[in-house]
Amino acid sequence: MAISAYDAAPEAATGESEACAPSLSCLLIDRDEAERLAVMLKAIADPTRLQLLRLIERAPAGEACVCDLTECLGLRQPTISHHLKVMTEAGLLNRDRRGTWVWYSVDPAGLHRVREILKPARPIPTPTPTPVPAA
């Protein structure tokens, strides 16, 4: 019988086991929220969608028409509309039909949720640059 490094652990010898510090289960994201966030992250995990989101976010009036977006990206209207639909259904964009055209704007609540999940829980220490000696 082979012996692994885990077999020789101190708690195995003493019969005691130490519990980890506070339970991580209290820090868990609610499953429904995690699923909604995953849909949002999947929706922007595409180069074209990231470009579209940024274009709409930076548009002078805070909104853009499909016709303007097709010009910017050099893609056909059905392709752009598909990507916009995915992002709208994920809660990242608002949609407003005006006549035959549809205008899109960033949904602030959806964008806030994505930014919050990507924000570190604790400040990440910034490395101190190493000075380069003068030659």
Side-chain angles (χ1 to χ4, degrees):
M1 177 176 171
I3 298 175
S4 73
Y6 296 109
D7 292 337
E11 66 260 14
T14 63
E16 298 175 18
S17 63
E18 293 183 28
C20 292
S23 173
L24 289 178
S25 63
C26 62
L27 303 174
L28 190 62
I29 298 172
D30 175 65
R31 183 64 184 196
D32 291 338
E33 179 66 6
E35 288 176 4
R36 284 189 292 273
L37 287 168
V39 168
M40 293 176 124
L41 292 170
K42 285 179 188 176
I44 59 172
D46 177 276
T48 300
R49 292 184 199 142
L50 280 173
Q51 289 178 310
L52 286 167
L53 186 66
R54 191 53 64 125
L55 279 170
I56 295 167
E57 185 180 34
R58 293 180 175 175
E63 61 183 3
C65 177
V66 174
C67 60
D68 297 326
L69 297 170
T70 56
E71 274 183 40
C72 287
L73 291 170
L75 297 172
R76 295 182 22 209
Q77 183 271 329
T79 302
I80 297 292
S81 292
H82 165 73
H83 288 300
L84 294 169
K85 179 183 177 186
V86 169
M87 289 191 297
T88 301
E89 289 175 350
L92 294 165
L93 297 177
N94 294 316
R95 182 179 192 277
D96 182 31
R97 179 173 286 283
R98 298 179 196 160
T100 58
W101 292 105
V102 177
W103 291 76
Y104 290 86
S105 60
V106 172
D107 185 326
L111 195 56
H112 176 76
R113 288 173 62 201
V114 169
R115 286 182 172 146
E116 283 299 306
I117 194 67
L118 297 175
K119 189 186 300 182
R122 291 183 271 261
I124 299 172
T126 51
T128 307
T130 308
V132 178

